[in-house]
Amino acid sequence: MPRAGRNGGLLRGRTAFSVAVAALLAALPASLLAAVSFGTNPLPLGDVYAVIQWELANRLLGWTIPAEWAPGAALHDVVWLIRLPRLVLAAAVGACLSLCGAAMQAVVKNPLADPYILGVSAGANLGVTLAVLLGVGAAAGGNFVGMAGFFGALGASFAVISLANVGGRANSVKLLLAGSALSAVCGACSNFLLYLRNADHAAAEVMRWTMGSLGAANWENNGVMLLAALGGTAFFLTQSRTMNLMLLGEETAVTLGTDLRRYRTAYLAASSLLVGLAVYSAGIIGFVGLVVPHMARLLFGTDHRRLIPVSVLAGALFLLWADVLCRTVLPGNELPIGVLTSLLGAPAFLYLMARRRYGFGGGD
Amino acid sequence: MEITAKGLEVSLGGASILKGAGLRVPAGQTVGVIGPNGSGKSTLLRCIYRALKPSGGAVFLDGRPIEWDSVRQSAQKMAVVAQHNAYSFSFTVREIVLMGRSPHKRALERDGPEDYRIVAESLAAVGLEGFENRQFSTLSGGEQQRAVLARALAQQTPCLILDEPTNHLDIQYQLQMMELVRGLGRTVLAAVHDLNIAALYCDALVALKDGEVVGSGPPRSLLTPGFLRSVYGVEAKVVTDGDGFLRILYQPGALRAKKSGAP
């Protein structure tokens, strides 16, 4: 397809974009309903949907749930308290991570940026470790672990940007080096703390964060995550024009009437909030934020007005199905989601890299 | 709109790049900034288009200091074609040119038919019709330069600032670009490398050397053999051809003769 590389994306035109967004929007609830039938114990499809129907009828219309499907029944609890919240969490986290990936790539004007690679996730992880092990911030209240993750992410993102700016303007190599250095430092601190405390439950807890797991999903936290995903998407959708200008660089943006500095800070703060929440809910899940926006770019071009909705929806769907795969690929065992996304994402990333025509949206 | 710069001073990394340079571009005129490499041409322009804040001096548009305006307001008054336009993400040509409309847009405002009409006109003006869906990064250097000029035209500003706009261009497009820019009737300030192009298309020239203005005036009175020798260190003949155009003819071996100390 020689034409493809010469144009904004493989799929061009307003119609293709609208159709794709509509299809992705429809695929999301459909996937939720399809994916909820997968699990370690095969459950009859009719029963699975009966539980969901009765719960929805109860919540929306106030109907009383028959005892057979009510809370407390094993079937109800598996479907409504374990499987469904987990899938909803997967979708919300996937959406957040892809969104942050796209935002970070714009902020640092570098196609290699992603929350994971730039050390932000590791920062969030250190925050979580501090909170779990030492109770740092316990005074902040019940959700203090999440707060710690948030501040860890925020600190790391600003640290990477300022480290990369030491001794001249940041470039892609310096950003990557600063990101990996900071990741290493944060990882070492986390490990040191774990080693010092030598508490088995804490080690397992922190291990769960670093490999990613959606197993702890519950509806209360899902509410926060969904709000974050929707709010983040809404915010960045209003920023598409500025994000486009960001990719042209500081000087060009000034000549086009936008001073990027305050926007950069705002985007970093918003991304850190989303990544912090995602780490708190599901630990570190790599490569989603890197690969999904690139796939969206490959299909629809670099314009953020298209890139953001497509990335968010595709990220949600990707992580949702990745979670299904995690639970089914090893019989009787569960693959950590972060392991799976890295296993899938790294080859996809290498493929994009090797594919010269794509060139991450164009060369120097 | 008149552009005035007074006493601009800039130091970068301890080196003094501009030492009190100033200039004036009367409304509707085309003024060229000339000078050898490293004389501070780009730095002077960057101060004027607000990419760089001078440590001394000020820039005025119609007598109003540019700092009094937001960068958005400035971008509604002057558009810029800079020298370096490599982007590490690729956009289509249409997307690049549409960004010229952004100073006129509020945060959530969408691009309307009017914007697309302006984009099409701007592309036609630079001879890039039919390039809308091409990826910017796959264009040749000259095509990229023209696409960026189209973006500046789409800004619909009274002033245009061009940093060596004819770099990378074939001679056909060099002449076309300068003719186009002149024909717009806007206030134009351009750093120009080629003295013959400068002589053909500029109403007045400002010559920089080592961060200072060493001469200014209409090309015919400024560009003399003695001036070229002192600013560029070259030997040249300046003649008026049969059609009345000013031509600078460089002399081979002039530099060598000078270096060997010949009187």
Side-chain angles (χ1 to χ4, degrees), chain A:
Chain A
M1 294 191 295
R3 288 177 60 82
R6 290 171 48 204
N7 295 288
L10 294 172
L11 304 172
R12 297 182 308 282
R14 215 163 279 208
T15 329
F17 170 70
S18 309
V19 168
V21 168
L24 287 169
L25 270 176
L28 202 52
S31 295
L32 269 180
L33 289 180
V36 79
S37 64
F38 290 93
T40 34
N41 302 312
L43 298 177
L45 261 189
D47 292 354
V48 170
Y49 293 143
V51 168
I52 295 173
Q53 279 165 18
W54 278 113
E55 269 289 349
L56 290 179
N58 172 260
R59 274 150 208 272
L60 301 176
L61 307 170
W63 293 7
T64 317
I65 307 177
E68 191 185 352
W69 313 114
L75 191 63
H76 171 277
D77 290 356
V78 166
V79 172
W80 189 257
L81 297 181
I82 296 175
R83 285 192 188 176
L84 203 56
R86 183 176 175 140
L87 292 168
V88 170
L89 180 66
V93 167
C96 283
L97 290 177
S98 311
L99 182 63
C100 289
M104 292 294 257
Q105 284 158 18
V107 165
V108 301
K109 215 183 95 180
N110 186 314
L112 285 178
D114 122 306
Y116 193 53
I117 281 180
L118 280 191
V120 176
S121 290
N125 183 55
L126 177 59
V128 166
T129 309
L130 282 170
V132 167
L133 282 178
L134 307 177
V136 170
N143 201 18
F144 74 94
V145 182
M147 294 298 287
F150 167 58
F151 285 115
L154 194 70
S157 58
F158 282 100
V160 167
I161 301 289
S162 38
L163 281 175
N165 276 301
V166 171
R169 276 181 64 89
N171 59 42
S172 57
V173 176
K174 283 170 74 183
L175 274 166
L176 288 175
L177 290 177
S180 28
L182 204 81
S183 288
V185 169
C186 290
C189 290
S190 301
N191 287 339
F192 180 60
L193 285 171
L194 281 174
Y195 177 76
L196 269 190
R197 299 287 289 198
N198 197 19
D200 276 350
H201 76 278
E205 175 86 354
V206 172
M207 182 84 147
R208 191 172 70 80
W209 294 108
T210 55
M211 295 206 299
S213 167
L214 296 157
N218 62 66
W219 285 113
E220 292 74 38
N221 184 52
N222 278 0
V224 177
M225 266 328 285
L226 278 176
L227 270 181
L230 291 174
T233 307
F235 170 70
F236 280 113
L237 274 177
T238 67
Q239 301 299 314
S240 309
R241 196 184 293 277
T242 307
M243 292 172 89
N244 283 346
L245 289 177
M246 256 179 192
L247 298 185
L248 301 190
E250 198 105 32
E251 287 203 6
T252 307
V254 164
T255 69
L256 294 171
T258 305
D259 189 349
L260 293 179
R261 278 167 301 181
R262 62 200 173 101
Y263 290 102
R264 232 179 236 137
T265 316
Y267 297 175
L268 269 176
S271 299
S272 306
L273 172 62
L274 295 178
V275 177
L277 286 170
V279 169
Y280 172 60
S281 309
I284 294 182
I285 300 177
F287 277 103
V288 179
L290 182 63
V291 174
V292 173
H294 280 303
M295 291 291 181
R297 253 184 222 114
L298 182 64
L299 293 173
F300 296 98
T302 308
D303 189 344
H304 284 87
R305 276 170 284 195
R306 295 168 183 211
L307 181 64
I308 288 177
V310 172
S311 293
V312 165
L313 291 171
L317 280 169
F318 172 75
L319 209 60
L320 193 154
W321 284 109
D323 183 52
V324 170
L325 206 57
C326 277
R327 284 182 288 136
T328 50
V329 72
L330 297 178
N333 208 336
E334 189 183 312
L335 200 61
I337 182 99
V339 171
L340 184 88
T341 53
S342 297
L343 283 177
L344 290 178
F349 184 63
L350 289 174
Y351 168 74
L352 288 176
M353 219 170 77
R355 209 187 116 111
R356 283 197 53 216
R357 197 181 297 287
Y358 174 55
F360 295 94
D364 292 295

Side-chain angles (χ1 to χ4, degrees), chain B residues 73-87:
Chain B
Q73 286 167 320
S74 291
Q76 293 170 357
K77 294 179 181 172
M78 57 184 168
V80 179
V81 178
Q83 234 181 86
H84 181 74
N85 290 299
Y87 307 129

